[in-house]
Amino acid sequence: MGRKYAIRSQEQFYFVTFTVVYWLDVFIRQEYRNILIDSIKYCQKEKGLLVGAWCIMTSHVHLILGTDETSKLEDIIRDLKSYTSRHIRKYMENNPQESRKEWMLWMMKRAGEKKSNNKDFQFWQQHNHPIELSTKEIMLQRLDYIHNNPVDAGFVDQPADWVFSSARDYEDQKGIIEISFLY
């Protein structure tokens, strides 16, 4: 990870993006979203993860994350990505309803073989490009970007209409994941 994209302070929130290799549309299925959501909730409860904002798109996830300093943020991110990668793969391999199984697993195997630090499989792209939210202006810009992502993609008309996002929480509705409000 280059210096420009490093987690330098455990007291700050960071904008990160997790992208599935080859931008595969994995998260069109609820089962895979559930694995990700449950893992985030686990990290909140057991590892001190703070979620300031989030949005699950079809091939990637945008998050604003921090930590209560129970664990280092970079360790939580590593564990979250590792766990979700293994469990989504396992679910995919054993899901007879997954019509794209062979193709997606082949693509993920292909991605894993291209990276020397993988054994044989890669679900997430390796970079997260954490951007420190050091000013209110940067924080508001990233929060707006996250919540408007489904609108810009044409999935919904209003940010709060997207169920898989914290936009609802910021509109005084109860969302799926507990939020540590940024303002």
Side-chain angles (χ1 to χ4, degrees):
M1 182 181 313
R3 232 175 131 62
K4 181 178 178 185
Y5 296 111
I7 294 173
R8 293 185 290 273
S9 170
Q10 297 300 315
E11 292 86 35
Q12 293 291 327
F13 275 89
Y14 288 81
F15 169 84
V16 295
T17 299
F18 302 166
T19 306
V20 180
V21 294
Y22 302 114
W23 292 82
L24 297 173
D25 288 321
V26 172
F27 297 111
I28 61 172
R29 303 221 192 276
Q30 186 63 40
E31 298 90 347
Y32 305 132
R33 289 190 297 253
N34 287 343
I35 292 169
L36 178 61
I37 290 165
D38 290 346
S39 184
I40 291 169
K41 288 179 178 181
Y42 175 85
C43 289
Q44 287 178 300
K45 182 178 178 191
E46 301 297 329
K47 297 179 179 258
L49 179 66
L50 303 175
V51 178
W54 64 282
C55 180
I56 301 174
M57 297 297 287
T58 60
S59 61
H60 61 285
V61 182
H62 295 298
L63 302 147
I64 293 179
L65 302 176
T67 180
D68 69 3
E69 298 184 49
T70 299
S71 301
K72 293 173 112 181
L73 185 57
E74 54 269 32
D75 293 344
I76 298 170
I77 290 171
R78 178 201 62 222
D79 293 349
L80 177 65
K81 288 179 75 176
S82 176
Y83 178 88
T84 54
S85 175
R86 285 190 321 273
H87 284 79
I88 290 172
R89 176 186 183 179
K90 184 178 178 180
Y91 190 89
M92 193 179 288
E93 288 173 338
N94 296 309
N95 182 0
Q97 304 302 112
E98 179 55 78
S99 60
R100 308 164 304 150
K101 176 186 349 191
E102 288 181 23
W103 172 71
M104 286 195 301
L105 291 171
W106 177 78
M107 293 293 284
M108 293 171 194
K109 181 176 172 33
R110 183 175 157 208
E113 290 170 346
K114 288 183 177 184
K115 300 285 185 182
S116 61
N117 55 343
N118 288 332
K119 290 183 181 174
D120 67 343
F121 181 86
Q122 184 174 338
F123 180 80
W124 297 111
Q125 291 180 15
Q126 292 184 343
H127 56 81
N128 308 310
H129 294 275
I131 297 172
E132 184 176 322
L133 305 183
S134 56
T135 68
K136 185 175 181 178
E137 180 181 73
I138 294 170
M139 184 266 300
L140 291 173
Q141 187 273 335
R142 293 299 166 161
L143 189 62
D144 185 59
Y145 175 80
I146 288 173
H147 290 159
N148 280 297
N149 211 242
V151 175
D152 294 342
F155 296 147
V156 293
D157 292 327
Q158 297 298 318
D161 294 340
W162 190 247
V163 176
F164 310 108
S165 162
S166 57
R168 291 174 169 233
D169 296 283
Y170 282 90
E171 295 287 330
D172 295 326
Q173 300 174 39
K174 182 68 178 143
I176 298 171
I177 295 175
E178 193 69 33
I179 297 299
S180 297
F181 288 95
L182 300 170
Y183 64 87

